[in-house]
Amino acid sequence: MELDGRTVGGVVVVAVVAVVAFGILGGSAGTLTVEQVDDLPQGQGAVSFHNLDPDQREAFREALQTGGGVELPNEAARNEFIDPGYVRYDGGIYKTTVTSN
């Protein structure tokens, strides 16, 4: 079976659209859990709660209040929760863990 340039291009476009649609509609970018810790491990830093974007602050508060996992809305929302993986909030230090869905 031989495919001409237009057919191959059409297949590629359909594949890209499917991947993008799955990324947008196909669930969250992970699940956030929050756990208070006494101290930061040696050499680790923590991001200030106020430096998180509004979606991240909302997810952090929800995870803290419920004590359970909260789905993150997108890949960018994961960044500060993975690196450095600690948040300073209301006088405490919290370890943040993101698991893939």
Side-chain angles (χ1 to χ4, degrees):
M1 177 174 152
E2 237 179 270
L3 299 174
D4 66 11
R6 288 184 296 182
T7 304
V8 172
V11 170
V12 170
V13 168
V14 169
V16 169
V17 169
V19 169
V20 170
F22 179 76
I24 293 170
L25 303 173
S28 71
T31 301
L32 171 69
T33 55
V34 175
E35 171 189 2
Q36 188 166 12
V37 296
D38 294 329
D39 294 305
L40 285 170
Q42 183 78 22
Q44 289 290 325
V47 66
S48 170
F49 176 79
H50 300 290
N51 288 339
L52 299 174
D53 71 34
D55 289 338
Q56 291 171 319
R57 289 193 297 260
E58 183 179 332
F60 180 88
R61 279 193 201 115
E62 185 178 339
L64 185 60
Q65 289 173 349
T66 65
V70 173
E71 288 188 21
L72 295 171
N74 57 54
E75 289 293 322
R78 300 167 41 119
N79 297 346
E80 285 78 10
F81 296 135
I82 294 172
D83 186 18
Y86 293 90
V87 173
R88 289 187 185 278
Y89 175 72
D90 199 26
I93 300 169
Y94 297 84
K95 182 179 190 318
T96 57
T97 304
V98 177
T99 54
S100 297
N101 291 342

